Amino acid sequence: MLQRIRDDGLQMTKRSAFIAVIGAPNAGKSTLVNALVGVKVSIVTQKVQTTRARIRGIAVIDDAQLVFTDTPGIFSPRRRLDRAMVAAAWEGLEGADAIVLVVDAAAELGSPSKSTADTEMIIGELKRREKKAVLVLNKIDKVARPNLLKLIADMGAEGVFEETFLLSAENGDGVKDLRAYLAARATEGPWMYPEDQLSDISDRLMAAEVTREKVFKRLHQELPYESTVETTSWTRTKKGELRIEQTIYVSREGHRPIVLGKGGQTLKAIGEASRKELSEIFGEPAHLFLTVNVREGWTEEAARYREMGLDIVD
Ligand SMILES: Nc1nc2c(ncn2[C@@H]2O[C@H](COP(=O)(O)OP(=O)(O)OP(=O)(O)O)[C@@H](O)[C@H]2O)c(=O)[nH]1
Ligand SMILES: [Mg+2]
């Protein structure tokens, strides 16, 4: 059952690996998973805490199927939503054949920051859990090479890394080497997903994520963190065209006018940017209708978490 016949008639044994991608918020985990898979499966923004749930991206390299789990950034959580996100990240490690820790090399070489403290905390936690990881020093396009040597030595001294890769997830430098290394580590076993599947999230959730990315990019301060997006309807028009309805939940009445913008301009821009990308992703023109819903306390509602693929953590 584990074999398939190649085009040239040779039999290949199937191999697979589950790889958890973890790291501090904004380290570039989602950018890296997208680069490893070769298409966008997870949204990316300049803001911390963009990814909220575990999202799997899948790549096939010859006989090996690599299943990457992108996770929310790990930090010291306070709010309920933060706790659920951080718990989801650590759960991403369960059953993983390899752990990739993504570190923002530029941040590590700068002055101490939230990012460097979070990375330190994660390394401490890996030690406590007696886990080994593959270290990815990301964003090397932003740093001078000689400066990396000390960082590599310091990280090596931690004693938790099996291998170190220097790369730029954004421009793709070094991504192939990492992928080949991980493919070589795959062990004999059945593929968990059909050969052409690239991610495990539903079209409805992917569509909601794309709109949430636009919300994150256009709105600032606490608003992105106090909002969420859900796809409420997925139908066809009479002409057979894709028609998607979504609700943007915000937690305060005062947020509604900010999301709408002057004369509805902000919401319109979010909708246009999202519709354009959705049409590309789904390979057909999409009609998108957005509604803003003020729902105080949505961050306490189990249903909202379920829609995002999260569990509430007390
Ligand atoms: N210059 C540079 N920027 C990068 C690189 N990789 C990611 N970025 C940028 O870093 C920011 C964060 O990237 P994400 O992929 O969303 O980071 P993340 O670790 O998934 O963040 P969270 O989901 O919030 O934890 C974005 O603005 C990316 O474009 C890189 O190799 N070089
Ligand atoms: Mg992310």
Side-chain angles (χ1 to χ4, degrees), residues 2-312:
L2 302 186
Q3 301 198 314
R4 72 191 166 116
I5 308 293
R6 269 195 335 205
D7 292 347
D8 57 11
L10 286 175
Q11 281 203 331
M12 282 200 306
T13 305
K14 287 197 173 184
R15 298 182 305 127
S16 65
F18 277 91
I19 297 140
V21 179
I22 63 167
N26 215 42
K29 301 174 293 298
S30 301
T31 309
L32 178 63
V33 168
N34 291 341
L36 287 162
V37 172
V39 298
K40 177 166 169 177
V41 295
S42 193
I43 62 169
V44 168
T45 80
Q46 290 182 336
K47 294 193 173 67
V48 296
Q49 296 164 38
T50 297
T51 305
R52 286 188 178 160
R54 289 186 301 277
I55 292 176
R56 283 177 174 173
I58 304 149
V60 170
I61 295 102
D62 298 324
D63 59 335
Q65 184 172 62
L66 304 183
V67 181
F68 300 101
T69 304
D70 184 19
T71 61
I74 298 175
F75 55 101
S76 302
R78 281 204 309 271
R79 303 177 311 158
R80 177 166 246 159
L81 177 58
D82 298 339
R83 286 201 298 277
M85 286 163 55
V86 171
W90 284 115
E91 277 161 26
L93 260 57
E94 302 302 324
D97 300 303
I99 299 167
V100 170
L101 173 63
V102 183
V103 171
D104 180 338
E108 289 296 320
L109 292 171
S111 33
S113 63
K114 179 98 181 47
S115 168
T116 57
D118 288 335
T119 296
E120 206 179 308
M121 181 265 287
I122 296 166
I123 292 173
E125 189 63 23
L126 286 172
K127 283 183 192 163
R128 200 183 65 77
R129 292 172 185 238
E130 297 181 351
K131 300 262 188 204
K132 293 274 181 208
V134 175
L135 175 65
V136 164
L137 294 176
N138 188 33
K139 308 197 186 182
I140 56 158
D141 54 292
K142 282 170 72 175
V143 303
R145 285 252 165 181
N147 295 345
L148 284 168
L149 294 176
K150 187 173 180 307
L151 181 57
I152 294 168
D154 289 349
M155 288 288 182
E158 298 282 1
V160 284
F161 301 115
E162 312 165 282
E163 199 72 51
T164 298
F165 288 84
L166 307 180
L167 57 81
S168 167
E170 187 136 291
N171 69 23
D173 278 351
V175 172
K176 256 193 177 164
D177 290 346
L178 173 64
R179 188 168 36 204
Y181 165 81
L182 294 168
R185 283 186 48 166
T187 52
E188 210 169 297
W191 286 5
M192 301 307 290
Y193 294 94
E195 138 157 53
D196 53 0
Q197 191 165 334
L198 298 170
S199 100
D200 73 333
I201 67 170
S202 65
D203 289 348
R204 290 172 77 108
L205 180 55
M206 184 65 197
E209 286 286 277
V210 169
T211 300
R212 194 165 65 78
E213 181 186 88
K214 310 312 171 202
V215 168
F216 261 60
K217 284 185 169 169
R218 263 162 230 274
L219 299 171
H220 306 290
Q221 279 131 15
E222 83 279 16
L223 218 157
Y225 304 104
E226 295 202 3
S227 64
T228 190
V229 180
E230 290 180 14
T231 301
T232 49
S233 158
W234 184 282
T235 52
R236 296 269 160 197
T237 63
K238 282 203 183 95
K239 280 194 195 158
E241 288 170 330
L242 186 56
R243 187 181 193 284
I244 302 169
E245 286 177 39
Q246 296 180 326
T247 299
I248 301 175
Y249 286 102
V250 294
S251 54
R252 288 182 223 172
E253 197 52 59
H255 285 164
R256 188 203 295 275
I258 306 173
V259 177
L260 292 174
K262 242 187 217 153
Q265 282 304 310
T266 305
L267 185 66
K268 194 164 165 235
I270 290 168
E272 270 172 13
S274 181
R275 183 184 51 74
K276 196 159 161 270
E277 190 169 331
L278 292 174
S279 301
E280 279 166 23
I281 290 176
F282 296 111
E284 58 174 318
H287 301 272
L288 177 63
F289 299 87
L290 296 178
T291 312
V292 181
N293 191 337
V294 180
R295 200 158 170 123
E296 235 173 88
W298 73 258
T299 58
E300 305 294 319
E301 289 175 358
R304 306 279 79 73
Y305 284 65
R306 263 199 309 278
E307 281 285 329
M308 287 186 267
L310 286 176
D311 298 317
I312 283 196

